[in-house]
Amino acid sequence: RKEVEQDPGPFNVPEGATVAFNCTYSNSASQSFFWYRQDCRKEPKLLMSVYSSGNEDGRFTAQLNRASQYISLLIRDSKLSDSATYLCVVQGVGGKLVFGAGTILRVKS
Amino acid sequence: DGGITQSPKYLFRKEGQNVTLSCEQNLNHDAMYWYRQDPGQGLRLIYYSQIVNDFQKGDIAEGYSVSREKKESFPLTVTSAQKNPTAFYLCASSIGTAIYNEQFFGPGTRLTVL
């Protein structure tokens, strides 16, 4: 089993739609969780950290479910500019961050 | 502006040659990392360094070498022993010495072996 697994997509959604991504992880002792955004042929950029209580940043909401070992990212009112690959990042065994392969989002007008 | 710079942006190498990728940061971060990204795959950790003059192997260190002589700099050498070096190489840094803190990335170097 991979340490971090994501649905690769692509998720094709119209502008204004709400879309959600899930990511499962195997290390039950993980303490650090992040969502990164990566545009085509660019470097990953931190979108948001994920806290135990869940957190929101504008149109983006991240949640953590420790019992089922997954994190989620919800994007409301999708914009064309949200089109990107979203990387799930979790602390792995040994403490290092482990990056998922990413979920592709395409927002269409 | 504070940030991480990588050079060159594109690099072409003939088989059998060693090449060195540059990574510099002025964020005063203690930890630095090198990753490799192949199409459709997640980032894979090559090497990391938590303090000057010390570094650790990541998951795919074979065929690579690093040095950390200065806090700001963490160059990566891709040696001829690396069998499939064509990839997108990303350097990152993070605050403090803990390796589970959020990481900030440079713009990357695309290496192509001819």
Side-chain angles (χ1 to χ4, degrees):
Chain A
R1 180 185 175 187
K2 289 183 180 179
E3 287 193 83
V4 177
E5 294 201 68
Q6 296 184 250
D7 181 344
F11 285 63
N12 296 301
V13 302
E15 275 186 290
T18 295
V19 61
F21 310 133
N22 280 347
C23 164
T24 58
Y25 62 93
S26 61
N27 180 21
S28 60
S30 293
Q31 296 296 321
S32 295
F33 307 89
F34 307 98
W35 283 102
Y36 278 73
R37 170 196 170 123
Q38 186 173 25
D39 293 297
C40 188
R41 301 180 70 80
K42 299 286 189 179
E43 75 274 22
K45 294 186 178 179
L46 180 67
L47 181 64
M48 58 198 304
S49 302
V50 185
Y51 303 117
S52 296
S53 56
N55 47 300
E56 187 175 307
D57 183 2
R59 298 182 292 109
F60 299 84
T61 299
Q63 292 195 315
L64 167 63
N65 185 316
R66 286 191 183 275
S68 300
Q69 294 182 211
Y70 74 84
I71 64 173
S72 63
L73 178 67
L74 181 77
I75 305 175
R76 290 182 298 278
D77 189 22
S78 298
K79 311 291 185 189
L80 292 175
S81 57
D82 293 334
S83 298
T85 298
Y86 290 84
L87 307 178
C88 168
V89 184
V90 178
Q91 181 186 12
V93 174
K96 299 185 293 292
L97 295 185
V98 179
F99 287 74
T103 296
I104 297 170
L105 172 64
R106 296 177 183 151
V107 182
K108 300 185 182 299
S109 59
Chain B
D1 284 336
I4 304 174
T5 58
Q6 290 186 243
S7 61
K9 188 172 182 179
Y10 298 97
L11 186 57
F12 299 90
R13 187 194 95 174
K14 293 182 180 179
E15 283 193 26
Q17 288 182 334
N18 293 354
V19 290
T20 297
L21 281 57
S22 168
C23 178
E24 304 277 335
Q25 55 98 359
N26 61 4
L27 300 168
N28 199 33
H29 285 174
D30 290 292
M32 297 186 73
Y33 313 80
W34 274 105
Y35 292 91
R36 167 184 175 139
Q37 188 175 35
D38 294 281
Q41 296 191 36
L43 278 65
R44 292 185 289 167
L45 184 63
I46 304 172
Y47 270 98
Y48 65 97
S49 168
Q50 293 168 274
I51 55 174
V52 174
N53 292 321
D54 188 52
F55 48 82
Q56 307 295 329
K57 291 183 178 180
D59 302 314
I60 56 166
E62 185 175 351
Y64 300 98
S65 66
V66 294
S67 63
R68 187 86 186 276
E69 297 177 0
K70 298 186 299 182
K71 187 176 184 179
E72 310 79 46
S73 178
F74 191 40
L76 173 74
T77 297
V78 184
T79 75
S80 57
Q82 170 49 235
K83 298 304 179 189
N84 187 20
T86 295
F88 187 36
Y89 289 87
L90 288 156
C91 178
S93 68
S94 62
I95 293 173
T97 57
I99 55 177
Y100 48 78
N101 290 334
E102 58 193 40
Q103 296 177 12
F104 300 89
F105 287 84
T109 292
R110 291 195 177 273
L111 173 63
T112 302
V113 174
L114 304 173

